[in-house]
Amino acid sequence: MTLFPRAAYGPMIANGVRMSQMEEAKGRLAAALDRLETALMPLGEAHRRHARDGAEIASLVQEREELLARIAALEEENRVLASLTEEVEGRVDRAIADIHAALGRAETV
């Protein structure tokens, strides 16, 4: 037997664990949860940023596809214009040759 009654050590809970030990464990658990929440905050922000970035990437991919289509259309238009330019150049060259020929004949007449 001890000098102090059992109640002097604090009330007992199951398996001989004292209430004060439970309170200490509860405090440590709360502190650990607070640290965990603090550690997870950047992760939550990263998830939100990832979602935003995913939407922006999708938008940029769509814009890229539209620009590639526009470039292809402009390249085709450029080919058509180059062909027309060659045709016009040939006609102008023939017209100049005809003019030179006509002027050459006129001078000799």
Side-chain angles (χ1 to χ4, degrees):
M1 191 143 233
T2 63
L3 297 173
F4 299 103
R6 203 166 223 215
Y9 297 113
M12 296 295 279
I13 301 180
N15 297 328
V17 177
R18 298 199 187 323
M19 184 63 104
S20 61
Q21 290 173 319
M22 289 296 286
E23 290 298 323
E24 288 175 13
K26 182 180 168 186
R28 287 192 309 272
L29 178 61
L33 288 174
D34 288 342
R35 287 192 307 272
L36 182 60
E37 286 176 357
T38 301
L40 290 178
M41 282 182 196
L43 181 61
E45 178 57 32
H47 284 298
R48 286 187 293 280
R49 194 171 46 246
H50 175 68
R52 271 194 321 267
D53 291 349
E56 186 175 351
I57 287 170
S59 173
L60 291 172
V61 166
Q62 176 64 32
E63 183 179 359
R64 178 182 179 269
E65 294 300 320
E66 291 170 2
L67 290 173
L68 287 173
R70 179 71 176 134
I71 287 170
L74 289 172
E75 286 174 341
E76 178 59 28
E77 184 179 347
N78 185 43
R79 280 190 287 279
V80 169
L81 290 174
S83 175
L84 288 174
T85 300
E86 287 179 20
E87 183 182 333
V88 169
E89 182 181 3
R91 287 181 181 181
V92 169
D93 286 344
R94 285 190 298 278
I96 290 172
D98 289 347
I99 291 171
H100 281 292
L103 288 176
R105 284 190 212 149
E107 290 176 10
T108 57
V109 176

